[in-house]
Amino acid sequence: LATNSTLPEVSVLVPAKDEAENLPEFVRLAREALLPLPYACELVIVNDGSHDGTARVLEELAAKHPFVRVVTHRAQRGIADALKSGADAARGRVLVFYPADLQYLPADIPGLVAPILEGQADIVTGAKQGNYEKRFVSGVYNTLCRWLFGVRVTDLNSVKAYRREVMDALPTRPDWHRFMVVIAAAQGFRLAERPVPLHPRRAGKTKFGLGRIPVGVLDLLSV
């Protein structure tokens, strides 16, 4: 695990909005999954304007675990901005987008990172496995993207690992992290996909509602 003096190879960027109940378990599972790896890792957790006890929990976790770094947004700015702030603070050459809600477990992070470290891909997206809410909406989105852009991966809107250069190539617009794979493919970055189980949320509430659909359609047209 990374420390102040040990630079990481991999930085896991973790947007967190009102996830005080999930964060201690997320960090525990991340430590368990990342500690045995032959390369150093860090967690960069972005408190995206939380109103619960997230700030206090993160202060305690960072004091206890040297591989945890914290970035704070005073107001909610969304996942795209959280990933940008996290990347600015991160020290690794490989970045991983992983939410804090424990629907994706940290044990699956090494599988996403492996194709990049082995030189086989520049961005690796996780293909959600299992039943989950909004499966139909997600299916329509993925089908449209494959048809419009010719990107032959199953799931474009999931956890993902990517070289830092991919992040540098993205436009700075809200919610455009959803099109990271499409934009990366258009710029010649190599894609890969790995299955990732999706689990029921243990605590807290989802931040995604049906109101995102019209915005997503407009973003799709813009891209």
Side-chain angles (χ1 to χ4, degrees):
L1 297 174
T3 64
N4 287 334
S5 58
T6 303
L7 291 178
E9 183 83 356
V10 174
S11 297
V12 183
L13 312 181
V14 187
K17 165 66 175 167
D18 295 335
E19 298 288 2
E21 293 180 82
N22 289 318
L23 282 165
E25 180 67 0
F26 181 89
V27 171
R28 185 189 73 80
L29 292 174
R31 185 180 188 281
E32 190 176 275
L34 303 178
L35 185 59
L37 298 177
Y39 48 86
C41 301
E42 68 177 356
L43 293 183
V44 181
I45 304 177
V46 183
N47 177 7
D48 191 30
S50 297
H51 295 295
D52 64 351
T54 293
R56 175 184 53 78
V57 169
L58 286 178
E59 183 179 356
E60 294 172 356
L61 290 170
K64 182 178 179 181
H65 300 287
F67 78 107
V68 174
R69 298 161 66 85
V70 177
V71 176
T72 301
H73 291 168
R74 293 182 180 275
Q76 184 177 7
R77 288 161 50 182
I79 291 179
D81 265 11
L83 291 177
K84 177 66 170 60
S85 298
D88 288 344
R91 299 171 294 164
R93 68 182 182 91
V94 176
L95 307 176
V96 183
F97 161 44
Y98 231 74
D101 56 18
L102 291 175
Q103 289 192 273
Y104 300 96
L105 297 184
D108 296 306
I109 291 173
L112 291 174
V113 170
I116 298 177
L117 296 182
E118 293 166 2
Q120 300 172 2
D122 301 306
I123 180 168
V124 181
T125 185
K128 292 189 286 288
Q129 308 294 300
N131 295 317
Y132 52 92
E133 293 183 29
K134 302 182 181 66
R135 189 183 185 97
F136 175 75
V137 173
S138 179
V140 171
Y141 162 79
N142 284 309
T143 300
L144 279 173
C145 284
R146 285 195 296 271
W147 176 62
L148 287 170
F149 306 117
V151 177
R152 303 304 175 197
V153 294
T154 306
D155 198 341
L156 296 166
N157 190 22
S158 178
V159 290
K160 48 187 68 71
Y162 44 97
R163 296 187 187 279
R164 181 178 286 276
E165 300 93 299
V166 173
M167 190 72 183
D168 294 339
L170 288 179
T172 53
R173 286 186 56 170
D175 289 332
W176 275 40
H177 64 283
R178 301 177 187 278
F179 300 97
M180 181 186 295
V181 176
V182 169
I183 295 169
Q187 298 190 12
F189 290 105
R190 298 167 298 164
L191 307 183
E193 186 173 49
R194 291 294 182 272
V196 178
L198 187 69
H199 303 270
R201 177 182 265 276
R202 302 185 188 186
K205 297 180 180 179
T206 180
K207 313 304 186 296
F208 304 99
L210 294 177
R212 294 286 186 102
I213 295 177
V215 176
V217 171
L218 292 174
D219 280 341
L220 185 65
L221 291 173
S222 298
V223 174

